[in-house]
Amino acid sequence: MKTLQFKTNIKCGGCIAAVTPHLDQVEGIEKWEVDTANPDKVLSVETENLSADEIKQAVEKAGYKAEVL
């Protein structure tokens, strides 16, 4: 299991609610969370085999930005 981290513009609960269906439908994500208290709004994703690009695409599909840390 690896944890990938991304700097995002997911700022609040509403943003998390908007991105949830997109991340939940990605096969291979075991668990994910956004630290909205962190100034970089860090998204942490636990996955076995997904690439950072695949996760980034799901976040961008939801209308948000994600940059690999």
Side-chain angles (χ1 to χ4, degrees):
M1 190 71 58
K2 63 184 173 184
T3 300
L4 301 172
Q5 292 191 313
F6 303 84
K7 177 179 177 180
T8 72
N9 62 343
I10 300 170
K11 296 177 172 65
C12 64
C15 299
I16 292 170
V19 82
T20 295
H22 294 275
L23 288 174
D24 285 351
Q25 76 181 11
V26 177
E27 259 334 289
I29 292 180
E30 297 296 320
K31 184 176 127 188
W32 65 271
E33 64 183 0
V34 179
D35 181 0
T36 55
N38 185 308
D40 287 337
K41 311 301 181 206
V42 176
L43 166 66
S44 299
V45 179
E46 288 184 20
T47 181
E48 194 69 55
N49 54 6
L50 289 176
S51 72
D53 278 345
E54 290 170 299
I55 295 162
K56 186 177 173 185
Q57 285 174 356
V59 173
E60 288 174 352
K61 199 171 174 183
Y64 295 90
K65 294 183 177 134
E67 186 181 310
V68 180
L69 289 178

Tab-separated table of all heavy atoms in Angstrom:
chain	number	residue	atom	x	y	z
A	1	MET	N	0.836	-1.179	0.000
A	1	MET	CA	0.000	0.000	0.000
A	1	MET	C	0.881	1.243	0.000
A	1	MET	O	1.836	1.324	0.749
A	1	MET	CB	-0.892	-0.022	1.242
A	1	MET	CG	-1.975	1.017	1.258
A	1	MET	SD	-3.314	0.758	0.086
A	1	MET	CE	-3.904	-0.840	0.553
A	2	LYS	N	0.552	2.201	-0.848
A	2	LYS	CA	1.291	3.459	-0.869
A	2	LYS	C	0.319	4.613	-0.654
A	2	LYS	O	-0.865	4.508	-0.954
A	2	LYS	CB	2.062	3.619	-2.175
A	2	LYS	CG	1.180	3.697	-3.415
A	2	LYS	CD	1.998	3.750	-4.694
A	2	LYS	CE	1.067	3.660	-5.899
A	2	LYS	NZ	1.747	3.616	-7.166
A	3	THR	N	0.844	5.703	-0.115
A	3	THR	CA	0.032	6.901	0.084
A	3	THR	C	0.567	7.993	-0.819
A	3	THR	O	1.745	8.334	-0.763
A	3	THR	CB	0.091	7.366	1.560
A	3	THR	OG1	-0.402	6.310	2.388
A	3	THR	CG2	-0.769	8.598	1.772
A	4	LEU	N	-0.304	8.497	-1.677
A	4	LEU	CA	0.050	9.590	-2.571
A	4	LEU	C	-0.554	10.869	-2.004
A	4	LEU	O	-1.673	10.855	-1.497
A	4	LEU	CB	-0.507	9.336	-3.969
A	4	LEU	CG	-0.030	8.053	-4.645
A	4	LEU	CD1	-0.809	7.813	-5.932
A	4	LEU	CD2	1.443	8.122	-4.940
A	5	GLN	N	0.181	11.968	-2.103
A	5	GLN	CA	-0.318	13.232	-1.576
A	5	GLN	C	-0.307	14.294	-2.666
A	5	GLN	O	0.600	14.343	-3.489
A	5	GLN	CB	0.519	13.689	-0.385
A	5	GLN	CG	0.334	12.783	0.816
A	5	GLN	CD	0.938	13.382	2.064
A	5	GLN	OE1	2.055	13.853	2.048
A	5	GLN	NE2	0.172	13.359	3.139
A	6	PHE	N	-1.333	15.136	-2.626
A	6	PHE	CA	-1.516	16.172	-3.633
A	6	PHE	C	-1.877	17.486	-2.968
A	6	PHE	O	-2.660	17.509	-2.016
A	6	PHE	CB	-2.677	15.805	-4.577
A	6	PHE	CG	-2.505	14.491	-5.265
A	6	PHE	CD1	-2.878	13.310	-4.635
A	6	PHE	CD2	-1.978	14.418	-6.542
A	6	PHE	CE1	-2.724	12.087	-5.264
A	6	PHE	CE2	-1.810	13.201	-7.178
A	6	PHE	CZ	-2.186	12.041	-6.538
A	7	LYS	N	-1.344	18.576	-3.494
A	7	LYS	CA	-1.773	19.915	-3.104
A	7	LYS	C	-3.007	20.202	-3.954
A	7	LYS	O	-2.982	20.013	-5.173
A	7	LYS	CB	-0.664	20.922	-3.406
A	7	LYS	CG	-1.037	22.345	-3.100
A	7	LYS	CD	0.133	23.275	-3.417
A	7	LYS	CE	-0.244	24.709	-3.180
A	7	LYS	NZ	0.869	25.621	-3.477
A	8	THR	N	-4.104	20.626	-3.312
A	8	THR	CA	-5.355	20.832	-4.046
A	8	THR	C	-5.956	22.201	-3.741
A	8	THR	O	-5.453	22.937	-2.901
A	8	THR	CB	-6.409	19.763	-3.668
A	8	THR	OG1	-6.874	20.026	-2.337
A	8	THR	CG2	-5.856	18.352	-3.761
A	9	ASN	N	-7.066	22.479	-4.413
A	9	ASN	CA	-7.865	23.664	-4.100
A	9	ASN	C	-9.223	23.234	-3.540
A	9	ASN	O	-10.215	23.926	-3.694
A	9	ASN	CB	-8.003	24.577	-5.323
A	9	ASN	CG	-8.728	23.919	-6.489
A	9	ASN	OD1	-8.868	22.699	-6.542
A	9	ASN	ND2	-9.163	24.710	-7.437
A	10	ILE	N	-9.243	22.089	-2.865
A	10	ILE	CA	-10.452	21.574	-2.199
A	10	ILE	C	-10.481	22.214	-0.810
A	10	ILE	O	-9.738	21.815	0.072
A	10	ILE	CB	-10.417	20.029	-2.117
A	10	ILE	CG1	-10.355	19.425	-3.523
A	10	ILE	CG2	-11.618	19.503	-1.345
A	10	ILE	CD1	-10.073	17.936	-3.561
A	11	LYS	N	-11.319	23.234	-0.645
A	11	LYS	CA	-11.229	24.100	0.530
A	11	LYS	C	-12.195	23.795	1.673
A	11	LYS	O	-11.934	24.167	2.802
A	11	LYS	CB	-11.474	25.559	0.108
A	11	LYS	CG	-10.420	26.101	-0.823
A	11	LYS	CD	-10.805	27.518	-1.235
A	11	LYS	CE	-9.746	28.236	-2.002
A	11	LYS	NZ	-9.411	27.711	-3.294
A	12	CYS	N	-13.335	23.180	1.364
A	12	CYS	CA	-14.384	23.086	2.393
A	12	CYS	C	-15.184	21.795	2.251
A	12	CYS	O	-14.953	21.002	1.347
A	12	CYS	CB	-15.325	24.286	2.266
A	12	CYS	SG	-16.222	24.295	0.690
A	13	GLY	N	-16.138	21.628	3.131
A	13	GLY	CA	-16.995	20.443	3.092
A	13	GLY	C	-17.774	20.326	1.798
A	13	GLY	O	-17.987	19.229	1.290
A	14	GLY	N	-18.198	21.458	1.253
A	14	GLY	CA	-18.922	21.446	-0.025
A	14	GLY	C	-18.044	20.942	-1.160
A	14	GLY	O	-18.494	20.201	-2.028
A	15	CYS	N	-16.774	21.361	-1.136
A	15	CYS	CA	-15.815	20.904	-2.146
A	15	CYS	C	-15.586	19.391	-2.000
A	15	CYS	O	-15.525	18.669	-3.000
A	15	CYS	CB	-14.483	21.619	-1.989
A	15	CYS	SG	-14.541	23.405	-2.177
A	16	ILE	N	-15.456	18.949	-0.764
A	16	ILE	CA	-15.250	17.514	-0.505
A	16	ILE	C	-16.458	16.727	-1.008
A	16	ILE	O	-16.312	15.688	-1.643
A	16	ILE	CB	-14.975	17.255	0.992
A	16	ILE	CG1	-13.604	17.850	1.363
A	16	ILE	CG2	-15.023	15.759	1.311
A	16	ILE	CD1	-13.298	17.879	2.845
A	17	ALA	N	-17.662	17.251	-0.756
A	17	ALA	CA	-18.878	16.579	-1.225
A	17	ALA	C	-18.904	16.499	-2.753
A	17	ALA	O	-19.350	15.504	-3.316
A	17	ALA	CB	-20.109	17.314	-0.707
A	18	ALA	N	-18.398	17.534	-3.418
A	18	ALA	CA	-18.389	17.550	-4.886
A	18	ALA	C	-17.389	16.545	-5.463
A	18	ALA	O	-17.643	15.942	-6.506
A	18	ALA	CB	-18.067	18.952	-5.385
A	19	VAL	N	-16.263	16.365	-4.791
A	19	VAL	CA	-15.217	15.487	-5.314
A	19	VAL	C	-15.429	14.020	-4.890
A	19	VAL	O	-14.932	13.105	-5.545
A	19	VAL	CB	-13.821	16.011	-4.900
A	19	VAL	CG1	-13.442	15.605	-3.509
A	19	VAL	CG2	-12.757	15.591	-5.881
A	20	THR	N	-16.211	13.802	-3.840
A	20	THR	CA	-16.424	12.445	-3.306
A	20	THR	C	-16.890	11.432	-4.357
A	20	THR	O	-16.279	10.367	-4.480
A	20	THR	CB	-17.390	12.479	-2.101
A	20	THR	OG1	-16.751	13.201	-1.045
A	20	THR	CG2	-17.743	11.085	-1.612
A	21	PRO	N	-17.947	11.710	-5.129
A	21	PRO	CA	-18.369	10.674	-6.093
A	21	PRO	C	-17.297	10.346	-7.131
A	21	PRO	O	-17.188	9.204	-7.572
A	21	PRO	CB	-19.613	11.267	-6.762
A	21	PRO	CG	-19.744	12.662	-6.278
A	21	PRO	CD	-18.804	12.869	-5.144
A	22	HIS	N	-16.493	11.327	-7.486
A	22	HIS	CA	-15.443	11.091	-8.486
A	22	HIS	C	-14.339	10.200	-7.926
A	22	HIS	O	-13.872	9.289	-8.606
A	22	HIS	CB	-14.864	12.429	-8.963
A	22	HIS	CG	-15.862	13.249	-9.714
A	22	HIS	ND1	-16.102	13.104	-11.058
A	22	HIS	CD2	-16.707	14.218	-9.292
A	22	HIS	CE1	-17.041	13.941	-11.435
A	22	HIS	NE2	-17.426	14.635	-10.374
A	23	LEU	N	-13.912	10.456	-6.689
A	23	LEU	CA	-12.852	9.635	-6.089
A	23	LEU	C	-13.386	8.261	-5.676
A	23	LEU	O	-12.673	7.269	-5.791
A	23	LEU	CB	-12.230	10.353	-4.896
A	23	LEU	CG	-11.339	11.543	-5.254
A	23	LEU	CD1	-10.879	12.270	-3.996
A	23	LEU	CD2	-10.137	11.115	-6.075
A	24	ASP	N	-14.636	8.214	-5.208
A	24	ASP	CA	-15.191	6.931	-4.771
A	24	ASP	C	-15.397	5.958	-5.927
A	24	ASP	O	-15.419	4.753	-5.716
A	24	ASP	CB	-16.520	7.148	-4.029
A	24	ASP	CG	-16.314	7.698	-2.624
A	24	ASP	OD1	-15.150	7.758	-2.160
A	24	ASP	OD2	-17.318	8.066	-1.990
A	25	GLN	N	-15.547	6.465	-7.147
A	25	GLN	CA	-15.763	5.552	-8.278
A	25	GLN	C	-14.466	5.047	-8.892
A	25	GLN	O	-14.488	4.177	-9.753
A	25	GLN	CB	-16.645	6.202	-9.333
A	25	GLN	CG	-15.954	7.240	-10.186
A	25	GLN	CD	-16.888	7.878	-11.204
A	25	GLN	OE1	-18.088	7.698	-11.142
A	25	GLN	NE2	-16.322	8.613	-12.141
A	26	VAL	N	-13.321	5.562	-8.440
A	26	VAL	CA	-12.037	5.102	-8.979
A	26	VAL	C	-11.670	3.764	-8.340
A	26	VAL	O	-11.522	3.666	-7.128
A	26	VAL	CB	-10.915	6.142	-8.727
A	26	VAL	CG1	-9.579	5.610	-9.224
A	26	VAL	CG2	-11.245	7.467	-9.401
A	27	GLU	N	-11.558	2.733	-9.189
A	27	GLU	CA	-11.155	1.413	-8.719
A	27	GLU	C	-9.733	1.488	-8.201
A	27	GLU	O	-8.868	2.015	-8.883
A	27	GLU	CB	-11.146	0.452	-9.898
A	27	GLU	CG	-12.264	-0.520	-10.146
A	27	GLU	CD	-13.116	-0.999	-9.007
A	27	GLU	OE1	-12.631	-1.771	-8.163
A	27	GLU	OE2	-14.284	-0.633	-8.969
A	28	GLY	N	-9.496	0.966	-7.002
A	28	GLY	CA	-8.135	0.893	-6.498
A	28	GLY	C	-7.818	1.889	-5.393
A	28	GLY	O	-6.768	1.796	-4.787
A	29	ILE	N	-8.722	2.848	-5.147
A	29	ILE	CA	-8.512	3.757	-4.016
A	29	ILE	C	-9.065	3.071	-2.778
A	29	ILE	O	-10.248	2.761	-2.708
A	29	ILE	CB	-9.190	5.128	-4.232
A	29	ILE	CG1	-8.509	5.897	-5.356
A	29	ILE	CG2	-9.162	5.950	-2.940
A	29	ILE	CD1	-9.109	7.267	-5.646
A	30	GLU	N	-8.187	2.811	-1.815
A	30	GLU	CA	-8.611	2.164	-0.568
A	30	GLU	C	-9.244	3.182	0.374
A	30	GLU	O	-10.270	2.921	0.989
A	30	GLU	CB	-7.398	1.524	0.130
A	30	GLU	CG	-6.739	0.419	-0.651
A	30	GLU	CD	-7.635	-0.781	-0.857
A	30	GLU	OE1	-8.376	-1.160	0.076
A	30	GLU	OE2	-7.597	-1.342	-1.969
A	31	LYS	N	-8.603	4.353	0.490
A	31	LYS	CA	-9.050	5.378	1.427
A	31	LYS	C	-8.492	6.711	0.953
A	31	LYS	O	-7.395	6.769	0.405
A	31	LYS	CB	-8.500	5.032	2.814
A	31	LYS	CG	-8.939	5.948	3.927
A	31	LYS	CD	-8.391	5.428	5.242
A	31	LYS	CE	-7.658	6.565	5.923
A	31	LYS	NZ	-6.928	6.197	7.081
A	32	TRP	N	-9.240	7.775	1.170
A	32	TRP	CA	-8.735	9.103	0.840
A	32	TRP	C	-9.288	10.119	1.823
A	32	TRP	O	-10.329	9.898	2.432
A	32	TRP	CB	-9.076	9.487	-0.598
A	32	TRP	CG	-10.544	9.640	-0.877
A	32	TRP	CD1	-11.405	8.653	-1.276
A	32	TRP	CD2	-11.331	10.833	-0.765
A	32	TRP	NE1	-12.668	9.156	-1.421
A	32	TRP	CE2	-12.654	10.504	-1.108
A	32	TRP	CE3	-11.046	12.149	-0.405
A	32	TRP	CZ2	-13.680	11.438	-1.109
A	32	TRP	CZ3	-12.080	13.066	-0.404
A	32	TRP	CH2	-13.369	12.712	-0.756
A	33	GLU	N	-8.558	11.224	1.992
A	33	GLU	CA	-9.020	12.306	2.857
A	33	GLU	C	-8.330	13.599	2.455
A	33	GLU	O	-7.246	13.579	1.877
A	33	GLU	CB	-8.762	11.999	4.327
A	33	GLU	CG	-7.306	11.895	4.702
A	33	GLU	CD	-7.080	11.522	6.155
A	33	GLU	OE1	-8.046	11.337	6.909
A	33	GLU	OE2	-5.905	11.423	6.540
A	34	VAL	N	-8.993	14.713	2.754
A	34	VAL	CA	-8.433	16.032	2.470
A	34	VAL	C	-8.241	16.746	3.800
A	34	VAL	O	-9.165	16.830	4.606
A	34	VAL	CB	-9.370	16.864	1.568
A	34	VAL	CG1	-8.763	18.241	1.300
A	34	VAL	CG2	-9.652	16.142	0.267
A	35	ASP	N	-7.037	17.256	4.013
A	35	ASP	CA	-6.741	18.039	5.216
A	35	ASP	C	-6.997	19.506	4.886
A	35	ASP	O	-6.115	20.209	4.400
A	35	ASP	CB	-5.290	17.813	5.640
A	35	ASP	CG	-4.924	18.579	6.907
A	35	ASP	OD1	-5.795	19.278	7.459
A	35	ASP	OD2	-3.754	18.475	7.325
A	36	THR	N	-8.225	19.973	5.137
A	36	THR	CA	-8.578	21.353	4.804
A	36	THR	C	-7.956	22.350	5.777
A	36	THR	O	-7.935	23.548	5.495
A	36	THR	CB	-10.111	21.554	4.760
A	36	THR	OG1	-10.665	21.124	5.998
A	36	THR	CG2	-10.733	20.785	3.612
A	37	ALA	N	-7.426	21.885	6.903
A	37	ALA	CA	-6.748	22.769	7.851
A	37	ALA	C	-5.337	23.120	7.364
A	37	ALA	O	-4.791	24.154	7.735
A	37	ALA	CB	-6.685	22.123	9.227
A	38	ASN	N	-4.773	22.273	6.516
A	38	ASN	CA	-3.448	22.515	5.956
A	38	ASN	C	-3.564	23.605	4.883
A	38	ASN	O	-4.470	23.554	4.061
A	38	ASN	CB	-2.922	21.212	5.343
A	38	ASN	CG	-1.509	21.318	4.830
A	38	ASN	OD1	-1.165	22.207	4.065
A	38	ASN	ND2	-0.690	20.369	5.231
A	39	PRO	N	-2.655	24.580	4.880
A	39	PRO	CA	-2.735	25.648	3.862
A	39	PRO	C	-2.687	25.121	2.417
A	39	PRO	O	-3.223	25.751	1.514
A	39	PRO	CB	-1.510	26.523	4.142
A	39	PRO	CG	-0.953	26.078	5.438
A	39	PRO	CD	-1.547	24.758	5.796
A	40	ASP	N	-2.063	23.959	2.209
A	40	ASP	CA	-1.991	23.364	0.872
A	40	ASP	C	-3.188	22.470	0.552
A	40	ASP	O	-3.252	21.898	-0.536
A	40	ASP	CB	-0.697	22.565	0.709
A	40	ASP	CG	0.524	23.460	0.581
A	40	ASP	OD1	0.365	24.636	0.190
A	40	ASP	OD2	1.632	22.994	0.889
A	41	LYS	N	-4.135	22.343	1.504
A	41	LYS	CA	-5.343	21.507	1.300
A	41	LYS	C	-4.938	20.134	0.767
A	41	LYS	O	-5.330	19.710	-0.311
A	41	LYS	CB	-6.333	22.173	0.333
A	41	LYS	CG	-6.633	23.632	0.643
A	41	LYS	CD	-7.214	23.817	2.024
A	41	LYS	CE	-7.515	25.294	2.275
A	41	LYS	NZ	-7.501	25.644	3.672
A	42	VAL	N	-4.138	19.428	1.555
A	42	VAL	CA	-3.510	18.182	1.105
A	42	VAL	C	-4.509	17.022	1.021
A	42	VAL	O	-5.178	16.689	1.997
A	42	VAL	CB	-2.324	17.811	2.021
A	42	VAL	CG1	-1.734	16.462	1.628
A	42	VAL	CG2	-1.255	18.896	1.950
A	43	LEU	N	-4.570	16.440	-0.170
A	43	LEU	CA	-5.352	15.230	-0.416
A	43	LEU	C	-4.401	14.054	-0.273
A	43	LEU	O	-3.368	13.999	-0.948
A	43	LEU	CB	-5.941	15.256	-1.834
A	43	LEU	CG	-6.498	13.935	-2.384
A	43	LEU	CD1	-7.718	13.474	-1.597
A	43	LEU	CD2	-6.826	14.076	-3.860
A	44	SER	N	-4.727	13.116	0.627
A	44	SER	CA	-3.943	11.890	0.803
A	44	SER	C	-4.777	10.719	0.301
A	44	SER	O	-5.941	10.589	0.685
A	44	SER	CB	-3.601	11.674	2.275
A	44	SER	OG	-2.832	12.760	2.754
A	45	VAL	N	-4.182	9.907	-0.541
A	45	VAL	CA	-4.886	8.771	-1.134
A	45	VAL	C	-4.071	7.511	-0.892
A	45	VAL	O	-2.892	7.457	-1.230
A	45	VAL	CB	-5.087	8.966	-2.656
A	45	VAL	CG1	-5.785	7.766	-3.258
A	45	VAL	CG2	-5.864	10.247	-2.939
A	46	GLU	N	-4.716	6.506	-0.298
A	46	GLU	CA	-4.075	5.201	-0.122
A	46	GLU	C	-4.503	4.300	-1.269
A	46	GLU	O	-5.694	4.122	-1.512
A	46	GLU	CB	-4.487	4.578	1.209
A	46	GLU	CG	-3.869	5.249	2.408
A	46	GLU	CD	-4.206	4.562	3.720
A	46	GLU	OE1	-4.586	3.374	3.706
A	46	GLU	OE2	-4.086	5.232	4.753
A	47	THR	N	-3.512	3.740	-1.959
A	47	THR	CA	-3.800	2.872	-3.102
A	47	THR	C	-2.718	1.809	-3.232
A	47	THR	O	-1.592	2.010	-2.792
A	47	THR	CB	-3.907	3.693	-4.406
A	47	THR	OG1	-4.209	2.803	-5.483
A	47	THR	CG2	-2.648	4.465	-4.709
A	48	GLU	N	-3.082	0.729	-3.852
A	48	GLU	CA	-2.148	-0.364	-4.087
A	48	GLU	C	-1.422	-0.145	-5.414
A	48	GLU	O	-0.217	-0.299	-5.499
A	48	GLU	CB	-2.914	-1.687	-4.125
A	48	GLU	CG	-2.047	-2.913	-4.023
A	48	GLU	CD	-1.412	-3.092	-2.654
A	48	GLU	OE1	-2.126	-3.112	-1.646
A	48	GLU	OE2	-0.184	-3.201	-2.606
A	49	ASN	N	-2.172	0.245	-6.457
A	49	ASN	CA	-1.584	0.213	-7.798
A	49	ASN	C	-1.910	1.406	-8.685
A	49	ASN	O	-1.539	1.401	-9.848
A	49	ASN	CB	-2.025	-1.077	-8.507
A	49	ASN	CG	-3.526	-1.234	-8.503
A	49	ASN	OD1	-4.251	-0.351	-8.070
A	49	ASN	ND2	-4.005	-2.362	-8.982
A	50	LEU	N	-2.600	2.415	-8.193
A	50	LEU	CA	-2.934	3.558	-9.043
A	50	LEU	C	-1.754	4.516	-9.160
A	50	LEU	O	-0.954	4.656	-8.241
A	50	LEU	CB	-4.129	4.332	-8.471
A	50	LEU	CG	-5.484	3.657	-8.558
A	50	LEU	CD1	-6.539	4.497	-7.864
A	50	LEU	CD2	-5.881	3.407	-9.996
A	51	SER	N	-1.686	5.206	-10.288
A	51	SER	CA	-0.648	6.210	-10.475
A	51	SER	C	-1.181	7.570	-10.015
A	51	SER	O	-2.390	7.780	-9.913
A	51	SER	CB	-0.253	6.298	-11.948
A	51	SER	OG	-1.289	6.910	-12.692
A	52	ALA	N	-0.271	8.481	-9.766
A	52	ALA	CA	-0.656	9.840	-9.368
A	52	ALA	C	-1.502	10.481	-10.458
A	52	ALA	O	-2.452	11.214	-10.166
A	52	ALA	CB	0.596	10.660	-9.081
A	53	ASP	N	-1.195	10.211	-11.718
A	53	ASP	CA	-1.950	10.797	-12.829
A	53	ASP	C	-3.406	10.356	-12.830
A	53	ASP	O	-4.299	11.149	-13.130
A	53	ASP	CB	-1.307	10.425	-14.176
A	53	ASP	CG	-0.139	11.333	-14.530
A	53	ASP	OD1	-0.002	12.401	-13.906
A	53	ASP	OD2	0.629	10.973	-15.436
A	54	GLU	N	-3.659	9.090	-12.505
A	54	GLU	CA	-5.035	8.587	-12.491
A	54	GLU	C	-5.860	9.300	-11.419
A	54	GLU	O	-7.021	9.650	-11.649
A	54	GLU	CB	-5.044	7.075	-12.249
A	54	GLU	CG	-4.501	6.288	-13.425
A	54	GLU	CD	-4.284	4.819	-13.103
A	54	GLU	OE1	-3.479	4.516	-12.197
A	54	GLU	OE2	-4.921	3.984	-13.760
A	55	ILE	N	-5.265	9.537	-10.274
A	55	ILE	CA	-5.968	10.221	-9.190
A	55	ILE	C	-6.157	11.693	-9.545
A	55	ILE	O	-7.238	12.260	-9.360
A	55	ILE	CB	-5.210	10.049	-7.867
A	55	ILE	CG1	-5.229	8.562	-7.476
A	55	ILE	CG2	-5.820	10.916	-6.771
A	55	ILE	CD1	-4.210	8.164	-6.456
A	56	LYS	N	-5.119	12.296	-10.104
A	56	LYS	CA	-5.185	13.698	-10.525
A	56	LYS	C	-6.323	13.895	-11.541
A	56	LYS	O	-7.069	14.861	-11.471
A	56	LYS	CB	-3.836	14.099	-11.119
A	56	LYS	CG	-3.731	15.548	-11.462
A	56	LYS	CD	-2.335	15.880	-11.972
A	56	LYS	CE	-2.301	17.303	-12.477
A	56	LYS	NZ	-1.070	17.684	-13.080
A	57	GLN	N	-6.467	12.981	-12.473
A	57	GLN	CA	-7.522	13.063	-13.482
A	57	GLN	C	-8.905	13.028	-12.833
A	57	GLN	O	-9.807	13.761	-13.242
A	57	GLN	CB	-7.403	11.932	-14.498
A	57	GLN	CG	-6.277	12.139	-15.487
A	57	GLN	CD	-6.074	10.944	-16.409
A	57	GLN	OE1	-6.726	9.913	-16.261
A	57	GLN	NE2	-5.145	11.076	-17.339
A	58	ALA	N	-9.086	12.179	-11.818
A	58	ALA	CA	-10.382	12.085	-11.135
A	58	ALA	C	-10.707	13.395	-10.423
A	58	ALA	O	-11.851	13.864	-10.460
A	58	ALA	CB	-10.378	10.926	-10.145
A	59	VAL	N	-9.715	14.001	-9.789
A	59	VAL	CA	-9.921	15.277	-9.089
A	59	VAL	C	-10.247	16.368	-10.101
A	59	VAL	O	-11.171	17.169	-9.896
A	59	VAL	CB	-8.669	15.651	-8.254
A	59	VAL	CG1	-8.803	17.048	-7.672
A	59	VAL	CG2	-8.448	14.639	-7.131
A	60	GLU	N	-9.533	16.394	-11.224
A	60	GLU	CA	-9.765	17.416	-12.235
A	60	GLU	C	-11.118	17.234	-12.921
A	60	GLU	O	-11.766	18.210	-13.280
A	60	GLU	CB	-8.617	17.410	-13.262
A	60	GLU	CG	-7.339	17.969	-12.652
A	60	GLU	CD	-6.110	17.862	-13.543
A	60	GLU	OE1	-6.182	17.200	-14.612
A	60	GLU	OE2	-5.069	18.439	-13.162
A	61	LYS	N	-11.566	16.000	-13.041
A	61	LYS	CA	-12.884	15.713	-13.607
A	61	LYS	C	-13.982	16.317	-12.726
A	61	LYS	O	-15.026	16.730	-13.218
A	61	LYS	CB	-13.055	14.185	-13.709
A	61	LYS	CG	-14.108	13.720	-14.646
A	61	LYS	CD	-13.988	12.218	-14.775
A	61	LYS	CE	-15.108	11.631	-15.605
A	61	LYS	NZ	-15.028	10.181	-15.654
A	62	ALA	N	-13.709	16.401	-11.433
A	62	ALA	CA	-14.663	16.984	-10.487
A	62	ALA	C	-14.589	18.517	-10.491
A	62	ALA	O	-15.374	19.178	-9.829
A	62	ALA	CB	-14.393	16.456	-9.071
A	63	GLY	N	-13.617	19.071	-11.225
A	63	GLY	CA	-13.509	20.516	-11.337
A	63	GLY	C	-12.496	21.149	-10.385
A	63	GLY	O	-12.514	22.355	-10.170
A	64	TYR	N	-11.609	20.342	-9.834
A	64	TYR	CA	-10.601	20.844	-8.883
A	64	TYR	C	-9.204	20.575	-9.405
A	64	TYR	O	-9.016	19.768	-10.306
A	64	TYR	CB	-10.802	20.212	-7.500
A	64	TYR	CG	-12.116	20.624	-6.890
A	64	TYR	CD1	-13.254	19.875	-7.107
A	64	TYR	CD2	-12.219	21.783	-6.157
A	64	TYR	CE1	-14.478	20.270	-6.598
A	64	TYR	CE2	-13.436	22.202	-5.637
A	64	TYR	CZ	-14.565	21.435	-5.867
A	64	TYR	OH	-15.760	21.850	-5.369
A	65	LYS	N	-8.231	21.226	-8.801
A	65	LYS	CA	-6.834	21.040	-9.205
A	65	LYS	C	-6.135	20.130	-8.200
A	65	LYS	O	-6.435	20.182	-7.007
A	65	LYS	CB	-6.122	22.386	-9.251
A	65	LYS	CG	-6.653	23.295	-10.329
A	65	LYS	CD	-5.868	24.584	-10.386
A	65	LYS	CE	-6.392	25.422	-11.521
A	65	LYS	NZ	-6.616	26.794	-11.182
A	66	ALA	N	-5.185	19.363	-8.682
A	66	ALA	CA	-4.367	18.507	-7.819
A	66	ALA	C	-2.949	18.509	-8.370
A	66	ALA	O	-2.737	18.291	-9.556
A	66	ALA	CB	-4.917	17.093	-7.790
A	67	GLU	N	-2.000	18.766	-7.493
A	67	GLU	CA	-0.585	18.806	-7.865
A	67	GLU	C	0.160	17.855	-6.931
A	67	GLU	O	0.045	17.955	-5.717
A	67	GLU	CB	-0.107	20.248	-7.652
A	67	GLU	CG	1.281	20.544	-8.098
A	67	GLU	CD	1.621	22.018	-7.798
A	67	GLU	OE1	0.837	22.910	-8.153
A	67	GLU	OE2	2.680	22.218	-7.176
A	68	VAL	N	0.907	16.942	-7.502
A	68	VAL	CA	1.621	15.939	-6.701
A	68	VAL	C	2.630	16.616	-5.786
A	68	VAL	O	3.353	17.507	-6.198
A	68	VAL	CB	2.347	14.917	-7.607
A	68	VAL	CG1	3.091	13.890	-6.760
A	68	VAL	CG2	1.364	14.227	-8.519
A	69	LEU	N	2.632	16.186	-4.510
A	69	LEU	CA	3.621	16.709	-3.548
A	69	LEU	C	4.829	15.797	-3.513
A	69	LEU	O	4.757	14.635	-3.756
A	69	LEU	CB	3.010	16.799	-2.148
A	69	LEU	CG	1.962	17.881	-1.965
A	69	LEU	CD1	1.408	17.827	-0.553
A	69	LEU	CD2	2.546	19.254	-2.204
